Amino acid sequence: MFSRKKQPPIKSLVAQGTKIEGNVLFAEGMRIDGEVVGDIRAGAEQPSILVISETARVEGAVHADHVIINGQVLGPVHAGELLELQPKAQITGNVHYRALEMHQGAVIAGQLFPTAVLVEEKPPLKLASNNP
């Protein structure tokens, strides 16, 4: 998805020193440098990217297509397409992903659940017979 197309733009920012208490719903792209206590969810209408920087802390579930983490997440992570874990990433919770890129130093205290990629079922092949 993201290898062929341009990534969505980052349109929202939670700056360092900012704390949000409550659920967050965003469109396209979001970067978190501060703290969020609540779930973070991307809208389903279009591709999304969420960046959780080295200075960020999230207490709640995270849902987006492309998730990049280099900070701390206390809760489950759901990456619909790609999950990138940078060297200082710390996740306490289960992780659901389609593709995973994990750098040395990243830590997950939870279970990993790869999302099965559905393969289109093809009709069975029929061999031509030599009947007269």
Side-chain angles (χ1 to χ4, degrees):
M1 173 180 180
F2 291 104
S3 59
R4 290 182 223 119
K5 296 180 182 177
K6 188 174 91 170
Q7 288 189 357
I10 304 281
K11 293 185 173 182
S12 303
L13 170 68
V14 177
Q16 188 173 358
T18 302
K19 180 177 182 178
I20 294 178
E21 293 183 1
N23 296 335
V24 177
L25 179 64
F26 71 96
E28 295 187 82
M30 180 175 199
R31 178 182 174 98
I32 299 174
D33 293 335
E35 185 174 352
V36 175
V37 178
D39 295 347
I40 301 171
R41 182 179 296 273
E45 302 81 39
Q46 48 196 276
S48 60
I49 183 169
L50 174 63
V51 178
I52 299 173
S53 76
E54 180 180 338
T55 60
R57 176 181 164 88
V58 174
E59 291 182 40
V62 171
H63 297 265
D65 292 330
H66 184 179
V67 181
I68 301 171
I69 300 175
N70 200 24
Q72 186 177 25
V73 177
L74 303 170
V77 175
H78 299 265
E81 292 294 329
L82 175 62
L83 173 61
E84 293 182 47
L85 300 179
Q86 302 293 322
K88 295 187 179 181
Q90 295 180 352
I91 299 174
T92 303
N94 293 335
V95 176
H96 303 262
Y97 60 91
R98 180 166 291 173
L100 173 66
E101 180 181 319
M102 186 171 178
H103 292 253
Q104 184 175 353
V107 176
I108 300 173
Q111 294 182 320
L112 299 174
F113 296 97
T115 304
V117 178
L118 297 176
V119 178
E120 187 177 309
E121 190 173 317
K122 297 181 181 177
L125 294 176
K126 294 182 181 179
L127 298 176
S129 62
N130 292 334
N131 291 343

